[in-house]
Amino acid sequence: MRLAPQATDNRRIAIEAVTPSVEGGRYPAKASLGERIRVEADCISDGHDAIAAVLLYRRERASQWTERRMVALPNDRWRAEFEPTGIGIYRFTIEAWVDHFATWADDLAIRIKADQDVRVDLQIGGGLIEAAAARSARPDSAELAAVAKRLNAGSRGRAGAIKLALSPELRALMDRNADRSRATRFERELQVVVDPELARFSAWYEMFPRSTGNGGEHGTFRTVAERLPYVAGMGFNVLYLPPIHPIGRTHRKGRNNAVTAAPDDVGSPWAIGSAEGGHKAVNPELGSLEDFALLVRTARGMGIEVALDIAFQCSPDHPYVKESPEWFRHRPDGTIQYAENPPKKYEDIYPFDFETSAWKSLWKELLSIFLYWADQGVRLFRVDNPHTKPFPFWEWVIAEVKRRHPETIFLSEAFTRPKIMYRLAKLGFTQSYTYFAWRNQKAELIEYFTELTSQPVRDFFRPNLWPNTPDILTDHLQHGGRPAFMSRLVLAATLGASYGIYGPAFEHGEAVATAPGREEYQNSEKYQLRNWRLTRPDSLRDYVALVNAIRRENLSLHTDRGLRFEPVDNDQLLAYSKVSEDGANLLLIVVNLDPYHTQSGFLEVPLHRWGIRPDQQFQVHDLIADARYSWRGWRNYVELNPFIQPAHIFRIQGRLRDETDFDAWN
Amino acid sequence: MRLAPQATDNRRIAIEAVTPSVEGGRYPAKASLGERIRVEADCISDGHDAIAAVLLYRRERASQWTERRMVALPNDRWRAEFEPTGIGIYRFTIEAWVDHFATWADDLAIRIKADQDVRVDLQIGGGLIEAAAARSARPDSAELAAVAKRLNAGSRGRAGAIKLALSPELRALMDRNADRSRATRFERELQVVVDPELARFSAWYEMFPRSTGNGGEHGTFRTVAERLPYVAGMGFNVLYLPPIHPIGRTHRKGRNNAVTAAPDDVGSPWAIGSAEGGHKAVNPELGSLEDFALLVRTARGMGIEVALDIAFQCSPDHPYVKESPEWFRHRPDGTIQYAENPPKKYEDIYPFDFETSAWKSLWKELLSIFLYWADQGVRLFRVDNPHTKPFPFWEWVIAEVKRRHPETIFLSEAFTRPKIMYRLAKLGFTQSYTYFAWRNQKAELIEYFTELTSQPVRDFFRPNLWPNTPDILTDHLQHGGRPAFMSRLVLAATLGASYGIYGPAFEHGEAVATAPGREEYQNSEKYQLRNWRLTRPDSLRDYVALVNAIRRENLSLHTDRGLRFEPVDNDQLLAYSKVSEDGANLLLIVVNLDPYHTQSGFLEVPLHRWGIRPDQQFQVHDLIADARYSWRGWRNYVELNPFIQPAHIFRIQGRLRDETDFDAWN
């Protein structure tokens, strides 16, 4: 009789539900330098025998696995952790086996307690240890053989034999030389991509270079460099520039998106390409490539990385249109297909035709754009509308760039349906824009951030939270005034480890849209220069600087993990705690979501989780107001007047009660 | 430059989250004859083009796929269904592609509404249709060519061309001849195992054959056959018999599990094997193999299938012990290892040693036991303690039996940790015992049955609900009296499509345990004969018969799907609705969980979901009391005196409002 294929062995352990795992291992999970990678799995077996499990991990090109013993959690879950030592791909898998020695030793202890005759049992144990001696090397083999001999010796020295049998030293020796001949190896090797710390913890500042000129002149890379102290002073570590390439003339848009431009209108930087060059050229009005490289170096010296905007589309004047017409779609009348969202037409933009039969040459050229700027020292790319280019292209191009420059960070600017945004993250984008700008109610903030910080999403999607962008001036900011800007800043900067603002519009509280119901800025910098007076007394720059300083000084804000919403009996007050993995940094943030009225309520303090006794007085330190309060008990009053201070960021002096509280760090 | 492996094509569609899928396709999902299989997937693409998707399915040995067009649900989810025509394995997968014609046609309609010049657009459409003509066969090709010609004709007959372009006939023609050259096929073929209807909908009655004798004599297969009208009269369709094999003498247990048996004690049927034979023999006191085969046939004639208990363990007297000592573990003192749970010893039972090097011959022998009884006409096996035998063995043996007898049903009697119970279900068990017996509180019933009836569990785990078994007389039944037996019966029979009772103990309300805090029956039939007086006036047999009749007559109770808990403002009242897939059969069940007191409360009726207007009077028919009530509005009073009637089973005369309410049938 034929044994069916699945009957080729009788390994007893099953390994299931391994995390992190993205789409069953099809994509790598995400991690970063400075954070431990926590691997968990269900390891189950028939019967009641003890189980042992190890995590095996290695860097992609290493040939040897490193092993970490897993520990048992409740409900047949097992866990181990490791801290990556470099960026790049790590592989891991799990091995587990029935631990006959542990089973035997645990049973022996029970038998002895029940005062049973254990003569035969000691011999059984002796046999297990003999077998271990046979498969191990010196010095373990000799030591094991000696122990086996004592256990097999029968009635002489029974008490000593029992003590030896149950000793931690013997257990460790047997663990080291376990019988793994019938171990189950998880059927897949899973991957984790380890990114630089900046992928996990970053504060972005978006700014139009051309608006940095003095006295209303066209800004240049040099005037941008002069602006760096301002940006660094606010505490940002990424400076993101909209496209810096030559801007098309044909169908150029005028101020406020007018269909025809005046002769001196500067046009939209996203209408890329002119006779002066395309995606690998710089707009001569901004300066030279050398100027740009100097800016990148100067910024880096001040702790700021420059992020470039990569928008894969062309103005009709882009050199590609003539040089590689096969990359564009041609209409039956001989014209090139412009961008459309029927009935709207965008005749200043030619999209690439990714369905062209020349797609391979197109892909290669687009890859070469990333590589070109990477060669200029750029490590961060904010990618415009990735959801309108095919998924396989992104998977390929990101892998190709990271193969050469593994430190590269790609921010996905996709505002589209959730599954598409998640797919882009899975296939390689390091960070992603989110729906944060439109989540203003307490319930929707809790729901959204619970989703983002729970598995599986947190394993592949790193949110980057923007209260505003040049395209997005939300209704809430239009009408909520200064309190809205302040509360949205605190939310962005503390709900996520990565966030950004578009300034100086943000810190200046720019709030006028082109029309009611629109999110377009009036006099948008997308179509014209702006001349910002940075010394305005009502600027929020000091508030931004304070919030960024609090971020830097509190480790719990350097990660998206460790977020928990806490109950407050007022729907306009949002409260959440952030705790670092070691429990040492513990914040309680309370934000008044209502920019118009003072709100107050009672907050439930999770005393037990924080290791604070019910009757214990403890100090909370508001890092924004630099005020200290003494609290006691689980119920505490909070009140926030949005015109004075719309948010508290309390640092709690308590400590997590118990490092093995598996839910505390989530 | 090398293209990375993932760059071998640029297919735009991604297919994710296909359901049903058990462990990523490692195991088949479960379905049964008479129910449609619903397949769903996320199909997403870059950009804004229309998508088309099809489900492909086939019986395992068929070479051709059958195709079903999928329909779009909200949030990029797609769905199609098919109804299996036979038992066995079905395979399915999904294919999806960008539908350029649909995109074009939808855009054309918008352009025309916006009064745009569509001359060029008509030519673009003409090109798409020409291409379809070229790849299709007659008569479609000719028809398509003619349409293309009209669209390309330019300004003459424009209105007619537009009408034609947007016609449903052309859309259907183009759908039939879609360009699928760049379609994405989901990377795996998933499986569904289609079982007989009995796998989905079954009412089990467990009974000790030896207790069916007249006047206290040892029962036989013939007296069991005489008992069949009693069992059929109560409406059961499965009669499950504890092991029918010869019972060991060595270390035989006496009444109430006494360690030594009196000479006339009958022993436990689970101590299998004596000089008279083992797992393929029948206990001579029960009769002959021919008697058994006659019982199976007689029962089948009355609509009852006989289920056998398969317990893979041996008494010390089992022939295997001498014939195949290599299947058992030997202790250093030369004895065979008996069953243990230290410090407890079960010396009347020898477990098989599945780690023996002779495991292949052991597996084959155990398979032959199933096949032996299958040859005697047995189609249902209740498998004792499967969680103490290796997972791979079960996967193999169930597959081997079903390869020859695909109609076979395996019930897993595993009361162990949740992940192990689920694993056994995944690897092939048709039905599974559950924690139902110990779920008595409203919150825990809601939580447990929500888990069991939600994905992923419902795709692989078919619960079989038992209020009692010979091993389990719960505290609730011990103290709750007749009301507890009635309410637990209604819960078992309506929360699950498969359930069972151990009788006559159940319908006789047997409630005395061996000791406080124990779940063992006093004078358990596991160790002695019982002589049941079936005509007892207080028997629940009529109530059981009524509940089983209600089950038969109401299609919503033939499946575990369509369950929803409904709010009642009393924690002792549990309310839930059951709806059939077509919405035609709609029940509202209300159970008083408190066996001691009358409980009342207001129930929220989901009028909108049921398609009943707020001001509409509707009739509810209590099928237990055969009473009819007129209700109106969303809030209705219910009151249940447990000593009169602990449960309502209302049939609602309303109808589901809308067949496309995707949540109504869940």
Side-chain angles (χ1 to χ4, degrees):
Chain A
M1 185 187 52
R2 180 185 66 86
L3 286 181
Q6 63 267 39
T8 49
D9 74 49
N10 61 347
R11 287 163 204 266
R12 289 173 56 194
I13 306 272
I15 302 173
E16 293 186 339
V18 181
T19 56
S21 165
V22 180
E23 295 288 314
R26 167 73 178 80
Y27 299 103
K30 289 182 168 65
S32 64
L33 277 187
E35 70 179 341
R36 284 190 283 179
I37 295 170
R38 174 175 289 186
V39 176
E40 292 189 359
D42 295 344
C43 299
I44 54 177
S45 172
D46 64 281
H48 306 284
D49 293 337
I51 289 178
V54 290
L55 164 69
L56 305 170
Y57 70 94
R58 60 180 171 88
R59 297 194 69 162
E60 195 174 29
R61 275 165 197 145
S63 55
Q64 292 286 324
W65 293 109
T66 303
E67 235 176 67
R68 286 264 186 288
R69 194 94 179 174
M70 300 184 87
V71 297
L73 309 181
N75 196 18
D76 292 312
R77 194 98 182 126
W78 292 73
R79 175 189 290 166
E81 296 181 328
F82 68 99
E83 180 152 343
T85 53
I87 59 175
I89 298 280
Y90 281 70
R91 292 176 172 272
F92 70 92
T93 193
I94 284 166
E95 199 170 293
W97 59 93
V98 173
D99 188 339
H100 288 295
F101 180 77
T103 307
W104 171 85
D106 295 345
D107 285 351
L108 183 69
I110 294 168
R111 292 180 212 278
I112 286 163
K113 215 170 157 188
D115 213 20
Q116 293 183 350
D117 181 343
V118 296
R119 272 176 299 187
V120 176
D121 300 288
L122 284 175
Q123 288 175 37
I124 292 173
L128 293 172
I129 298 165
E130 255 170 21
R135 67 178 167 262
S136 62
R138 285 192 164 271
D140 288 0
S141 55
E143 202 174 332
L144 288 163
V147 174
K149 205 170 167 188
R150 283 193 61 188
L151 265 60
N152 288 333
S155 51
R156 279 169 301 127
R158 176 101 31 93
I162 289 169
K163 197 172 165 196
L164 181 62
L166 299 178
S167 69
E169 293 76 18
L170 178 60
R171 183 71 73 106
L173 200 54
M174 288 297 286
D175 281 351
R176 259 206 316 275
N177 297 286
D179 177 9
R180 290 164 65 168
S181 60
R182 294 175 56 225
T184 298
R185 176 77 65 97
F186 183 61
E187 66 254 31
R188 283 189 297 280
E189 290 180 11
L190 298 170
Q191 294 180 50
V192 182
V193 57
V194 175
D195 290 313
E197 192 197 3
L198 196 59
R200 164 169 49 82
F201 178 59
S202 56
W204 293 52
Y205 188 77
E206 176 174 7
M207 188 178 77
F208 281 80
R210 65 192 183 187
S211 289
T212 58
N214 298 313
E217 285 186 2
H218 196 288
T220 65
F221 294 128
R222 289 169 190 270
T223 57
V224 171
E226 290 165 15
R227 184 68 61 85
L228 285 171
Y230 173 82
V231 176
M234 280 190 289
F236 291 98
N237 57 3
V238 178
L239 173 64
Y240 149 44
L241 308 179
I244 58 173
H245 316 298
I247 297 172
R249 281 258 157 219
T250 305
H251 295 295
R252 176 178 284 192
K253 296 289 171 69
R255 294 174 175 230
N256 286 307
N257 203 17
V259 284
T260 47
D264 60 342
D265 277 344
V266 288
S268 162
W270 286 273
I272 295 169
S274 73
E276 285 137 337
H279 286 76
K280 296 176 192 167
V282 294
N283 183 344
E285 292 186 274
L286 291 172
S288 67
L289 190 62
E290 290 66 39
D291 295 341
F292 175 75
L294 179 64
L295 170 64
V296 170
R297 284 198 304 278
T298 310
R300 189 165 293 152
M302 300 172 71
I304 294 177
E305 287 291 322
V306 171
L308 273 199
D309 191 319
I310 298 292
F312 283 144
Q313 57 190 23
C314 299
S315 98
D317 308 324
H318 198 294
Y320 288 156
V321 176
K322 278 193 186 137
E323 292 165 10
S324 301
E326 69 277 14
W327 295 341
F328 301 89
R329 186 165 292 162
H330 296 263
R331 292 163 60 89
D333 62 356
T335 61
I336 290 181
Q337 180 67 58
Y338 43 81
E340 280 192 292
N341 183 16
K344 288 190 235 166
K345 304 179 176 193
Y346 307 95
E347 289 169 298
D348 57 331
I349 300 292
Y350 288 172
F352 290 112
D353 175 17
F354 281 87
E355 295 190 324
T356 171
S357 58
W359 62 272
K360 287 198 183 187
S361 67
L362 172 62
W363 284 25
K364 287 182 194 177
E365 177 62 22
L366 298 183
L367 168 61
S368 76
I369 293 169
F370 282 116
L371 296 178
Y372 180 84
W373 292 108
D375 286 343
Q376 311 308 318
V378 177
R379 294 292 173 261
L380 294 97
F381 297 102
R382 176 272 197 193
V383 177
D384 192 76
N385 281 334
H387 59 292
T388 60
K389 289 94 193 170
F391 302 129
F393 166 70
W394 292 120
E395 184 173 16
W396 173 83
V397 81
I398 292 171
E400 287 293 317
V401 174
K402 290 186 90 164
R403 199 156 61 81
R404 297 166 176 83
H405 304 282
E407 69 282 14
T408 312
I409 290 172
F410 296 85
L411 168 62
S412 161
E413 189 255 7
F415 292 109
T416 178
R417 301 193 303 280
K419 288 169 184 172
I420 296 173
M421 291 175 64
Y422 285 160
R423 178 83 181 189
L424 290 164
K426 289 174 195 168
L427 50 76
F429 279 94
T430 322
Q431 298 185 347
S432 307
Y433 281 73
T434 70
Y435 305 137
F436 167 72
W438 304 281
R439 297 290 179 272
N440 292 292
Q441 305 297 316
K442 179 172 179 170
E444 64 192 16
L445 281 163
I446 291 176
E447 187 188 355
Y448 190 45
F449 282 90
T450 300
E451 175 178 320
L452 292 181
T453 57
S454 302
Q455 283 181 315
V457 177
R458 73 169 186 218
D459 287 335
F460 60 80
F461 187 89
R462 284 202 198 92
N464 191 327
L465 310 180
W466 291 72
N468 76 329
T469 77
D471 296 318
I472 304 169
L473 173 63
T474 62
D475 191 71
H476 189 80
L477 290 182
Q478 287 176 42
H479 300 105
R482 188 177 177 85
F485 281 82
M486 291 168 74
S487 61
R488 297 299 293 175
L489 177 82
V490 171
L491 289 170
T494 60
L495 278 172
S498 288
Y499 88 107
I501 59 171
Y502 152 54
F506 188 87
E507 64 267 27
H508 285 196
E510 281 258 310
V512 182
T514 53
R518 297 290 309 278
E519 295 190 333
E520 278 287 324
Y521 279 92
Q522 177 77 301
N523 303 325
S524 169
E525 287 184 284
K526 292 194 292 188
Y527 310 107
Q528 68 189 75
L529 301 186
R530 292 287 296 272
N531 187 20
W532 301 98
R533 190 163 65 89
L534 302 180
T535 52
R536 270 169 64 159
D538 62 346
S539 169
L540 285 169
R541 65 187 281 190
D542 291 343
Y543 192 74
V544 173
L546 176 60
V547 169
N548 277 334
I550 292 169
R551 277 170 52 92
R552 272 197 311 278
E553 289 156 15
N554 287 277
L555 277 179
S556 64
L557 298 177
H558 293 214
T559 166
D560 290 326
R561 307 285 288 272
L563 171 70
R564 229 181 232 259
F565 292 96
E566 310 293 352
V568 206
D569 60 356
N570 179 334
D571 274 353
Q572 296 293 341
L573 291 180
L574 181 71
Y576 46 99
S577 57
K578 288 284 299 182
V579 59
S580 59
E581 187 168 6
D582 63 2
N585 184 252
L586 178 56
L587 302 181
L588 174 66
I589 295 140
V590 189
V591 180
N592 181 356
L593 302 176
D594 174 1
Y596 308 108
H597 306 98
T598 296
Q599 297 285 349
S600 63
F602 282 93
L603 182 107
E604 278 183 38
V605 182
L607 294 180
H608 179 81
R609 183 151 42 81
W610 291 355
I612 298 171
R613 291 189 315 276
D615 61 343
Q616 183 182 339
Q617 210 156 41
F618 60 100
Q619 200 183 67
V620 303
H621 177 192
D622 184 348
L623 303 175
I624 294 184
D626 195 19
R628 286 158 204 270
Y629 306 91
S630 243
W631 282 7
R632 187 207 297 261
W634 63 274
R635 203 157 172 267
N636 277 281
Y637 181 76
V638 284
E639 181 181 298
L640 286 164
N641 177 339
F643 296 100
I644 298 170
Q645 187 188 357
H648 291 301
I649 301 180
F650 292 121
R651 176 150 185 181
I652 311 294
Q653 307 300 333
R655 293 173 47 106
L656 283 187
R657 177 187 294 271
D658 183 353
E659 287 193 43
T660 61
D661 176 353
F662 300 116
D663 287 332
W665 169 258
N666 55 25
Chain B
M1 187 187 52
R2 182 184 64 87
L3 286 182
Q6 64 267 39
T8 50
D9 72 48
N10 61 346
R11 287 162 205 266
R12 291 174 55 194
I13 306 272
I15 302 173
E16 293 185 341
V18 180
T19 56
S21 166
V22 180
E23 295 288 315
R26 167 73 179 80
Y27 300 103
K30 290 183 168 64
S32 64
L33 278 187
E35 70 179 342
R36 284 190 284 179
I37 296 170
R38 175 177 288 186
V39 176
E40 292 188 359
D42 295 344
C43 299
I44 54 177
S45 172
D46 64 281
H48 307 283
D49 292 337
I51 288 178
V54 290
L55 164 68
L56 305 169
Y57 70 94
R58 60 179 171 87
R59 298 194 68 161
E60 194 174 28
R61 274 163 197 147
S63 56
Q64 291 287 324
W65 293 108
T66 302
E67 233 176 71
R68 287 263 186 288
R69 193 96 179 171
M70 300 185 87
V71 297
L73 309 180
N75 196 18
D76 293 311
R77 194 95 184 129
W78 292 73
R79 175 189 289 166
E81 296 182 328
F82 68 98
E83 182 152 344
T85 53
I87 59 176
I89 298 280
Y90 280 71
R91 290 176 173 272
F92 70 92
T93 193
I94 285 166
E95 199 170 294
W97 59 93
V98 173
D99 188 339
H100 288 295
F101 180 76
T103 307
W104 171 84
D106 295 346
D107 284 352
L108 182 69
I110 294 168
R111 292 180 211 277
I112 286 161
K113 216 169 156 188
D115 213 20
Q116 293 183 350
D117 181 345
V118 296
R119 272 176 299 186
V120 176
D121 299 288
L122 283 174
Q123 288 176 35
I124 292 173
L128 293 172
I129 299 165
E130 255 172 19
R135 68 180 166 260
S136 62
R138 286 193 162 269
D140 287 1
S141 55
E143 202 173 332
L144 287 163
V147 175
K149 205 170 165 187
R150 282 193 61 188
L151 265 59
N152 289 333
S155 51
R156 281 166 301 124
R158 176 104 28 94
I162 289 169
K163 197 173 164 195
L164 181 62
L166 299 179
S167 69
E169 293 75 19
L170 178 59
R171 182 73 73 106
L173 199 55
M174 288 297 286
D175 281 350
R176 259 205 317 275
N177 298 287
D179 177 9
R180 289 164 65 168
S181 61
R182 294 176 55 224
T184 298
R185 175 77 64 97
F186 183 61
E187 64 254 33
R188 283 187 296 280
E189 290 180 12
L190 298 170
Q191 293 180 50
V192 182
V193 57
V194 175
D195 290 313
E197 192 197 3
L198 195 60
R200 165 171 46 85
F201 178 59
S202 57
W204 294 53
Y205 189 77
E206 175 174 7
M207 189 178 77
F208 282 79
R210 64 192 184 188
S211 288
T212 59
N214 298 314
E217 287 185 359
H218 196 288
T220 65
F221 294 128
R222 287 168 191 271
T223 57
V224 171
E226 289 164 16
R227 184 68 62 85
L228 285 171
Y230 173 82
V231 177
M234 280 190 288
F236 290 99
N237 58 3
V238 177
L239 173 63
Y240 149 44
L241 308 178
I244 58 173
H245 316 299
I247 297 172
R249 280 261 158 218
T250 305
H251 294 295
R252 175 179 285 194
K253 295 290 171 69
R255 292 172 177 234
N256 286 308
N257 203 20
V259 284
T260 48
D264 60 341
D265 276 345
V266 288
S268 162
W270 284 274
I272 294 170
S274 75
E276 284 138 337
H279 285 77
K280 295 177 192 166
V282 294
N283 183 344
E285 293 186 275
L286 291 171
S288 67
L289 189 62
E290 291 66 39
D291 295 342
F292 175 74
L294 179 63
L295 170 64
V296 171
R297 285 198 303 277
T298 310
R300 190 165 290 154
M302 299 170 73
I304 294 177
E305 287 290 322
V306 171
L308 273 200
D309 192 317
I310 298 292
F312 283 143
Q313 57 190 25
C314 298
S315 99
D317 308 324
H318 197 296
Y320 288 156
V321 177
K322 278 193 186 136
E323 292 164 10
S324 300
E326 68 278 13
W327 294 343
F328 301 90
R329 184 165 294 163
H330 296 263
R331 292 162 60 87
D333 62 357
T335 60
I336 290 180
Q337 180 67 58
Y338 43 81
E340 280 192 295
N341 183 15
K344 289 191 234 165
K345 305 178 177 197
Y346 307 96
E347 291 169 297
D348 57 330
I349 299 294
Y350 287 173
F352 290 112
D353 175 17
F354 281 88
E355 294 191 324
T356 171
S357 58
W359 62 272
K360 287 198 182 187
S361 68
L362 173 62
W363 284 25
K364 286 182 193 177
E365 177 62 23
L366 299 183
L367 169 61
S368 77
I369 293 169
F370 282 116
L371 296 177
Y372 179 84
W373 293 108
D375 286 344
Q376 312 307 318
V378 177
R379 295 291 173 262
L380 294 97
F381 297 102
R382 175 272 197 194
V383 176
D384 192 76
N385 282 335
H387 58 292
T388 60
K389 290 94 193 170
F391 302 130
F393 166 69
W394 292 119
E395 184 173 18
W396 173 82
V397 80
I398 292 171
E400 288 293 317
V401 174
K402 292 186 90 164
R403 199 156 60 82
R404 297 164 175 85
H405 303 283
E407 69 283 15
T408 311
I409 290 171
F410 296 85
L411 169 61
S412 161
E413 189 254 8
F415 292 109
T416 179
R417 301 192 304 280
K419 288 169 184 172
I420 296 173
M421 291 176 64
Y422 285 159
R423 178 82 181 190
L424 290 164
K426 288 173 197 169
L427 50 78
F429 279 94
T430 323
Q431 297 185 348
S432 306
Y433 281 73
T434 70
Y435 306 136
F436 167 73
W438 304 281
R439 295 291 178 272
N440 292 292
Q441 304 298 317
K442 180 172 178 170
E444 64 192 16
L445 281 163
I446 291 176
E447 186 188 355
Y448 190 44
F449 282 90
T450 300
E451 174 178 320
L452 292 181
T453 57
S454 301
Q455 282 178 315
V457 177
R458 74 171 187 216
D459 287 335
F460 60 80
F461 187 90
R462 282 200 198 91
N464 191 327
L465 310 178
W466 292 72
N468 75 329
T469 77
D471 296 318
I472 303 168
L473 173 62
T474 61
D475 191 74
H476 189 81
L477 290 180
Q478 287 178 42
H479 301 105
R482 188 177 177 84
F485 281 82
M486 292 168 74
S487 61
R488 296 300 294 175
L489 177 81
V490 171
L491 289 171
T494 60
L495 278 173
S498 288
Y499 88 108
I501 59 172
Y502 152 54
F506 187 88
E507 64 267 26
H508 285 196
E510 281 260 309
V512 182
T514 52
R518 297 291 310 277
E519 294 190 331
E520 278 286 325
Y521 279 93
Q522 176 76 301
N523 303 323
S524 169
E525 289 184 284
K526 291 193 291 187
Y527 310 108
Q528 68 188 76
L529 301 186
R530 291 288 295 272
N531 187 20
W532 301 97
R533 190 163 65 87
L534 301 180
T535 54
R536 270 170 63 160
D538 62 347
S539 169
L540 284 169
R541 64 188 280 193
D542 291 344
Y543 193 73
V544 174
L546 176 60
V547 168
N548 278 334
I550 291 170
R551 276 169 54 89
R552 273 197 310 280
E553 288 157 15
N554 288 276
L555 277 180
S556 64
L557 298 177
H558 293 214
T559 166
D560 291 326
R561 307 284 289 271
L563 171 70
R564 227 182 235 257
F565 292 95
E566 309 292 353
V568 207
D569 59 357
N570 179 333
D571 274 354
Q572 296 293 340
L573 292 180
L574 181 71
Y576 46 98
S577 57
K578 287 284 298 181
V579 59
S580 60
E581 187 167 6
D582 63 1
N585 183 253
L586 178 57
L587 301 181
L588 174 67
I589 294 139
V590 189
V591 180
N592 182 355
L593 302 176
D594 174 2
Y596 308 108
H597 306 97
T598 296
Q599 296 285 350
S600 62
F602 283 92
L603 183 106
E604 278 183 38
V605 182
L607 294 180
H608 180 81
R609 183 152 40 83
W610 291 355
I612 298 171
R613 292 189 314 275
D615 62 343
Q616 184 183 337
Q617 211 155 42
F618 61 99
Q619 202 184 66
V620 303
H621 177 191
D622 183 350
L623 303 174
I624 293 183
D626 195 18
R628 286 159 205 268
Y629 306 90
S630 244
W631 282 7
R632 188 208 297 261
W634 64 273
R635 201 155 174 269
N636 278 280
Y637 181 77
V638 286
E639 181 181 298
L640 286 164
N641 177 339
F643 297 99
I644 298 170
Q645 188 188 354
H648 291 299
I649 302 180
F650 292 121
R651 176 151 185 178
I652 312 293
Q653 307 300 333
R655 294 171 48 106
L656 285 187
R657 177 187 296 272
D658 184 350
E659 287 192 43
T660 61
D661 176 353
F662 299 116
D663 287 332
W665 168 260
N666 55 25

